[in-house]
Amino acid sequence: MTRKYRITLLPGDGIGPEILAVTVDILKVVGKQLDIDFQFQEALIGGVAIDETGKPLPEATLKMCRDSDAVLLAAIGGYKWDNLPREQRPETGLLAIRAGLNLFANLRPATIIPQLIGASSLKPEIVAGVDIMVVRELTGGIYFGKPKGIFETETKEKRGVNTMAYTESEVDRIAKVAFETAQKRGGKLCSVDKANVLDVSQLWRDRVTLMGEKYSDVELSHLYVDNAAMQLVRAPKQFDTIVTGNLFGDILSDAAAMLTGSIGMLPSASLGLEKPGLFEPVHGSAPDIAGEDKANPLAQVLSAAMMLRYGLNEPKAAARLEKAVFEALAQGYRTGDIMSDGMKAVGCKAMGEVLLRILES
Ligand code: IPM
Ligand code: MG
């Protein structure tokens, strides 16, 4: 029987519309093949939303997202909006949609793709076989804690304030996702904090340790964030699943992404307790190459695969997309960001055509 899913598309800014268009074509083909009826609807977020409505996340967009089974986001931001006040910045729209859909768990895989191992700035023997999942808390911590703002002191000096805070229940729910993720992967979970200095981290560590008692099949370890950053570039293969707070996760997931050498290849999933989840590439909107048909659409395609796997429970369709991506790389097709000697250079659209050909063969 046909499964029906309503998917909200958020193309956003920069290269967003180009990479999302390629991905939608691919989803349509896989849908036909596997009897899945995707109903696409599009909404505004980020800079384009600011230009058209004055707000980076219009109410109508949030409503449309809430009304759907999954949200597929491309990228937001660009030079044009960089100097607006914070409440009108594209990034604020991204934070608002995370909060508005209660997407507290952000899954960011950093997996070495054998064909692209040369793209890493680290030695091949250090990164070969790296397969890390960073589980980042996404709706709490210092990104959202109060008080926040720039205030004036008694001496009329300005003072900038943000607050890193986690409640027990916030730690528990992300820890649960992380333990369950680790169970499905290599059975190892490393919790990253700064418990030697921060009280909020001590609570984090206590709660994760307590939760660990329920998951005897997962080997739990703890690292301070500075050491974790060092270990990630020193010996990344020691990691399987990492769980950490919002800010540490932001930083460590970029470092983990760079192990693979190709941030243009990495997808992510942001999940709450219920649908819809939001799925987006880790890379940004690359305004410098927007509209030039140069963008790498593969992270967006892999984000659609994560949508199918984690958001819609369609693992078969997910595997088809992933297989097509690896096959395209195996056949030597490369966009500029991952190009190397002897490979076949293609643009965004042509890469999409290669994927379609592979899917239909
Ligand atoms: C990310 C980005 C965002 C974040 C920015 C664009 C708000 O860096 O998704 O990692 O800090 O969460
Ligand atoms: Mg980031």
Side-chain angles (χ1 to χ4, degrees):
M1 218 184 58
T2 310
R3 280 97 64 215
K4 269 194 189 158
Y5 302 111
R6 194 179 304 180
I7 313 288
T8 298
L9 302 173
L10 304 175
D13 307 315
I15 58 170
E18 300 164 56
I19 58 177
L20 197 55
V22 164
T23 306
V24 167
D25 285 345
I26 288 163
L27 281 171
K28 284 181 183 158
V29 167
V30 171
K32 249 188 223 132
Q33 291 174 340
L34 295 178
D35 209 9
I36 305 171
D37 178 7
F38 294 112
Q39 298 173 348
F40 297 107
Q41 49 188 23
E42 207 173 295
L44 296 170
I45 193 170
V48 278
I50 296 168
D51 287 351
E52 288 196 28
T53 71
K55 289 186 194 158
L57 179 67
E59 195 47 47
T61 297
L62 192 56
K63 188 174 176 303
M64 196 187 274
C65 291
R66 286 197 176 120
D67 265 358
S68 54
D69 295 299
V71 179
L72 194 55
L73 170 69
I76 55 134
Y79 317 122
K80 185 175 166 194
W81 306 282
D82 275 351
N83 295 314
L84 291 172
R86 184 167 310 285
E87 60 292 352
Q88 283 171 38
R89 293 238 197 110
E91 289 80 0
T92 302
L94 191 58
L95 297 182
I97 197 168
R98 290 172 180 170
L101 299 175
N102 215 355
L103 305 170
F104 65 88
N106 184 210
L107 271 52
R108 298 191 165 183
T111 309
I112 290 279
I113 299 176
Q115 291 94 345
L116 298 180
I117 199 159
S120 178
S121 52
L122 277 80
K123 294 188 194 115
E125 64 269 28
I126 302 279
V127 291
V130 160
D131 179 9
I132 301 172
M133 179 70 88
V134 179
V135 179
R136 168 189 177 192
E137 199 289 328
L138 202 59
T139 52
I142 198 166
Y143 273 54
F144 293 91
K146 295 212 173 97
K148 62 183 276 180
I150 298 175
F151 306 101
E152 219 167 73
T153 66
E154 281 150 26
T155 61
K156 302 281 175 222
E157 187 190 13
K158 279 188 184 155
R159 183 165 182 264
V161 180
N162 287 92
T163 304
M164 190 185 284
Y166 277 112
T167 61
E168 292 177 314
S169 56
E170 282 176 316
V171 179
D172 290 355
R173 64 181 187 178
I174 189 71
K176 183 165 182 284
V177 170
F179 277 106
E180 286 171 4
T181 305
Q183 270 179 331
K184 289 185 212 141
R185 293 173 40 87
K188 274 169 60 181
L189 179 62
C190 179
S191 173
V192 174
D193 60 41
K194 189 71 186 171
N196 51 345
V197 177
L198 304 176
D199 298 312
V200 53
S201 280
Q202 188 58 55
L203 181 76
W204 176 283
R205 188 174 283 222
D206 293 346
R207 295 308 293 188
V208 173
T209 303
L210 191 64
M211 175 84 56
E213 291 171 10
K214 289 196 214 149
Y215 294 88
S216 53
D217 51 340
V218 175
E219 184 192 315
L220 174 65
S221 61
H222 303 271
L223 282 182
Y224 300 136
V225 62
D226 49 349
N227 189 17
M230 185 171 74
Q231 296 300 332
L232 259 181
V233 288
R234 190 188 74 86
K237 270 179 271 189
Q238 68 186 287
F239 294 106
D240 170 36
T241 307
I242 293 175
V243 63
T244 190
N246 207 342
L247 180 63
F248 299 159
D250 179 45
I251 299 165
L252 293 181
S253 64
D254 265 27
M258 208 49 220
L259 297 173
T260 71
S262 39
I263 199 165
M265 294 296 304
L266 296 178
S268 77
S270 303
L271 307 169
L273 290 175
E274 288 159 32
K275 277 188 194 175
L278 180 143
F279 305 85
E280 61 176 313
V282 168
H283 64 68
S285 59
D288 52 323
I289 56 165
E292 295 180 22
D293 192 34
K294 285 185 186 160
N296 180 352
L298 297 179
Q300 183 78 67
V301 174
L302 292 173
S303 299
M306 282 193 101
M307 172 183 88
L308 292 163
R309 192 183 301 282
Y310 295 99
L312 303 175
N313 198 20
E314 292 282 354
K316 238 173 113 181
R320 262 191 207 210
L321 293 196
E322 288 158 356
K323 228 181 116 212
V325 168
F326 300 139
E327 181 59 29
L329 293 171
Q331 291 182 12
Y333 294 100
R334 301 282 188 277
T335 44
D337 58 316
I338 51 173
M339 187 61 194
S340 59
D341 283 351
M343 297 294 140
K344 301 172 214 164
V346 287
C348 183
K349 278 192 192 137
M351 184 62 101
E353 280 153 21
V354 169
L355 294 172
L356 286 177
R357 175 169 56 65
I358 291 169
L359 280 169
E360 281 169 334
S361 66

